[in-house]
Every structure is written in structure tokens, then in C-alpha cells.
């Protein structure tokens, strides 16, 4: 059964949501609404979940567009009509095309949805820690700007991710954040008892978004933590061989 948590962009032309895991088994890390087709799940299970989602949205399954993410900062632009570009090794997609669902699959990373209402542009990006330090959000906004978007009017949703309390990292990861200009105390903290570093991926991406000109009042954040919430898939809780949570946006 398809279960979603909607994100309200304040515009009836756009639909955005997180696909929740739904009914699932504690012993099967792929069970539930798993629609990612490159993480080891059974193809028939993925196809069934995709078909149910497409039916709910009133679109064809071919119109569920998800890139083959590789923690890159590569951005692909889907033209308003015609052939779809290659989405292998792509971690952000941008389009003005109506009627297609742009989706990002995550299992602790941050899914970022973008909507430029004045220009009729939507985008979705995958911002794990590597994508975050590579400023994938900046590159996504730049691609949107080339299509006519004004950063000051872009609305953004940062989806469920591993929360900073759960996201303990090594000092080598901290060094990457500092080098990327993301070493603020609001982003990186230390556990007083363990001395280990913890990173807030939402805070890091908010800083990046605001540096691009996105207004603070146009940024929404999910409060869900993927590691703590059984309604979501989590690599840290379930292992890499598990399903992925889809966060997606559709322009009608």
C-alpha cells in the first residue's frame, strides 16, 4: 500500500512528497515501498511498487524519473520534450517538463527538492556528505538559473535524513566540510563524552542554499531522522543492502 508524507510548496501545480516504507517486515530490509532499481532489490518488487505509485499519481511508470546516483555533483537537465538524457552517474535533475516525477532515492543522505514557481522549473538533488561538500545544491540552482529561475524565488524542501545526533563521522570527513567552507559550529559539533564529530547535513545545505540567494522563509525541512524512524530506509540501521526512500516532485 502506497503511503506518502506530502510537502506543501503552496502551489496546486506542484506535488511533492516522501514515499514512506509502509507495510514491511523487520527481517527483510527491502520490504515495503522500495522503488530504487539498482540496490539489489528484486526487480518484480520494484516494478510493483513503481506501478502502484504511478497509479496513485495518475502517470505512466515511465514517467517516474530517478537517476542512478553515485554521490557525484553531476546535474542533468531534462528538456521540455524529446529524448531523456543519460542519468547514469547523475545526482541532480532539473526540468520544466510537466507530468513527470523527479525522484531521489536516499537511505540517510539528504534529498533536496526545488521549485521555481515564476519559471515553472522543478529539480531534485541527492546531497549526501560528499554531494554536500561538492555544493550540489549550488550546481542545481545554477542549472535552474540557466532556464530562467531567480534564486530569491526558489522554494526548497530538505527531506528526511540522518539527524546530527546519529550522524557520527571521522575527522577525515570533518576536514572535507571545513575545506568546503562548512566548518561552522552549527554544522559540526563534538560529543563531549566521546570526542567524536557529528554533522548536521540540513544545516550545511541551508548555509549553501542561502549563500546562493534562497530566502530562509522559502526553505522547509523534514523533522524525520532516517536512522531512528522505521517508516524510512536507513543504511546505518539496516545496512547498505536495503531499500531506499524516494523523495519526489511533480509539476502538473
Amino acid at each position: 500500500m502506497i503511503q506518502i508524507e506530502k510537502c506543501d510548496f503552496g502551489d496546486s501545480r506542484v506535488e511533492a512528497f516522501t514515499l514512506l516504507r509502509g507495510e514491511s517486515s523487520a527481517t527483510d530490509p527491502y520490504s515495503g515501498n522500495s522503488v530504487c532499481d539498482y540496490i539489489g532489490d528484486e526487480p518484480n518488487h520494484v516494478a510493483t511498487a513503481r506501478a502502484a505509485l504511478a497509479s496513485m499519481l495518475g502517470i505512466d511508470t515511465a514517467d517516474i524519473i530517478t537517476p542512478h546516483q553515485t554521490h557525484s555533483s553531476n546535474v542533468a537537465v531534462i528538456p521540455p520534450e524529446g529524448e531523456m538524457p543519460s542519468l547514469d552517474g547523475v545526482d541532480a535533475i532539473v526540468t520544466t517538463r510537466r507530468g513527470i516525477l523527479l525522484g531521489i532515492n536516499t537511505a540517510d543522505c539528504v534529498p533536496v527538492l526545488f521549485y521555481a514557481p515564476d519559471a515553472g522549473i522543478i529539480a531534485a538533488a541527492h546531497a549526501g556528505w560528499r554531494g554536500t561538500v561538492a555544493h550540489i545544491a549550488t550546481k542545481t540552482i545554477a542549472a535552474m538559473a540557466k532556464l530562467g529561475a531567480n534564486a530569491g524565488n526558489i522554494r526548497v524542501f530538505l527531506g528526511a535524513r540522518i539527524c546530527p545526533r546519529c550522524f557520527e563521522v571521522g575527522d577525515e570527513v570533518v576536514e572535507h566540510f571545513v575545506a568546503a567552507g562548512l566548518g561552522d559550529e552549527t554544522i559540526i559539533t563534538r560529543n563531549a563524552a566521546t570526542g567524536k564529530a557529528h554533522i548536521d547535513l540540513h544545516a550545511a545545505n541551508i548555509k549553501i542554499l542561502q549563500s546562493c540567494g534562497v530566502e530562509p522563509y522559502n526553505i522547509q525541512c523534514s523533522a524525520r531522522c532516517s536512522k531512528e524512524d522505521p517508516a524510512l530506509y536507513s543504511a546505518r540501521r539496516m545496512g547498505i543492502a536495503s531499500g531506499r526512500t524516494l523523495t519526489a516532485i511533480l509539476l502538473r
Side-chain angles (χ1 to χ4, degrees):
M1 178 180 176
I2 295 297
Q3 296 180 17
I4 63 171
E5 182 174 73
K6 291 187 175 181
C7 166
D8 185 8
F9 275 105
D11 190 323
S12 61
R13 295 174 296 173
V14 70
E15 293 184 49
F17 59 87
T18 300
L19 178 61
L20 303 178
R21 192 178 178 196
E23 186 176 345
S24 58
S25 166
T27 60
D28 181 357
Y30 291 107
S31 63
N33 294 315
S34 170
V35 299
C36 187
D37 59 2
Y38 58 86
I39 38 77
D41 199 354
E42 289 291 334
N44 287 342
H45 179 227
V46 172
T48 298
R50 281 183 169 245
L53 177 61
S55 177
M56 185 198 75
L57 294 169
I59 63 175
D60 292 335
T61 53
D63 291 326
I64 298 176
I65 310 301
T66 54
H68 187 153
Q69 302 159 201
T70 58
H71 296 278
S72 74
S73 60
N74 297 327
V75 181
V77 177
I78 298 171
E81 57 185 10
E83 190 174 339
M84 193 71 60
S86 172
L87 299 180
D88 284 339
V90 166
D91 282 77
I93 40 181
V94 178
T95 195
T96 59
R97 188 181 298 193
R98 295 178 179 270
I100 63 172
L101 186 76
L102 304 188
I104 293 296
N105 290 295
T106 61
D108 290 326
C109 300
V110 181
V112 191
L113 304 181
F114 304 77
Y115 175 46
D118 53 337
I121 302 168
I122 57 173
H126 167 231
W129 76 258
R130 292 177 181 83
T132 298
V133 300
H135 285 246
I136 193 168
T138 302
K139 295 174 182 177
T140 304
I141 289 174
M144 295 175 73
K146 287 183 179 179
L147 298 179
N150 181 326
N153 295 328
I154 294 176
R155 302 171 190 176
V156 181
F157 172 67
L158 300 174
R161 85 303 182 212
I162 188 169
C163 73
R165 179 178 59 257
C166 294
F167 192 32
E168 180 182 290
V169 301
D171 285 342
E172 71 283 359
V173 175
V174 171
E175 290 172 6
H176 283 289
F177 276 78
V178 172
L182 301 170
D184 309 26
E185 291 183 357
T186 56
I187 297 171
I188 302 171
T189 56
R190 291 275 177 183
N191 183 311
T194 66
K196 297 290 187 179
H198 291 251
I199 287 178
D200 188 333
L201 289 173
H202 271 179
N205 281 283
I206 288 170
K207 179 177 180 179
I208 291 168
L209 290 165
Q210 291 182 356
S211 72
C212 292
V214 178
E215 299 289 353
Y217 54 77
N218 277 335
I219 302 173
Q220 303 178 55
C221 295
S222 171
R224 289 179 180 265
C225 169
S226 54
K227 186 173 184 293
E228 295 178 333
D229 192 337
L232 306 170
Y233 293 102
S234 168
R236 288 219 173 185
R237 171 168 41 88
M238 305 166 71
I240 293 296
S242 60
R244 299 292 185 268
T245 299
L246 181 79
T247 305
I249 186 166
L250 168 71
L251 185 63
R252 294 289 187 183

